[in-house]
Amino acid sequence: MEQDRPDGVSARMVRLGYLVAGFALLALGIIGAFLPLMPTTIFVILAAGCFARSNRRVEAWLLNHKSFGPTIKAWRAEGAISRHGKSLATGGMVLGYVLFLIGARPDLPLALFVLTVFVACAWYVLSRPEPS
């Protein structure tokens, strides 16, 4: 018999929520593989985390995928991002910021705020070790 959580939500419903979120995140990651400003890696890593809590077969498929698997495994084992991944991520951030400046023409405070967020994100990505 399935155990309900204190809030009345069954374990099956929680797993279903994680499964739906996993597929949505995976779809965003696949879209990101083709759109220059949309990230791929973070969505695929988050999808793998959702699948780990909902469907081990889908998680295993993702971990064994020739394109996504090594990235997920490196992140899980070492919190590592490849040099190529770092280059793509920071390049995408720079391009995204430039397009933001051109397209939105923000006031200086907003431009500086967005720049601060991008710099913080880039710093985090660049501070991760490379896979061994």
Side-chain angles (χ1 to χ4, degrees):
M1 187 164 139
E2 219 171 272
Q3 184 95 7
D4 280 350
R5 297 177 4 172
D7 58 7
V9 177
S10 71
R12 181 177 299 196
M13 291 301 294
V14 171
R15 281 195 312 275
L16 179 62
Y18 275 117
L19 185 65
V20 170
F23 280 115
L25 289 164
L26 182 58
L28 290 172
I30 291 169
I31 291 168
F34 300 100
L35 293 179
L37 297 179
M38 182 99 163
T40 298
T41 305
I42 188 64
F43 288 126
V44 174
I45 288 171
L46 290 171
C50 288
F51 293 139
R53 290 165 181 79
S54 63
N55 189 315
R56 295 289 183 165
R57 278 192 319 187
V58 179
E59 178 197 24
W61 169 80
L62 199 54
L63 289 172
N64 293 316
H65 191 274
K66 72 174 192 165
S67 297
F68 300 134
T71 300
I72 298 166
K73 289 175 185 175
W75 178 258
R76 284 187 175 179
E78 307 172 69
I81 301 173
S82 69
R83 183 172 294 169
H84 180 69
K86 290 178 186 184
S87 298
L88 289 175
T90 53
M93 287 182 227
V94 169
L95 178 61
Y97 186 70
V98 169
L99 292 175
F100 165 71
L101 290 177
I102 293 168
R105 300 187 189 275
D107 291 335
L108 184 60
L110 179 59
L112 291 176
F113 173 75
V114 172
L115 178 62
T116 302
V117 170
F118 272 110
V119 167
C121 291
W123 174 83
Y124 180 77
V125 167
L126 294 172
S127 72
R128 302 294 86 207
E130 292 184 21
S132 56

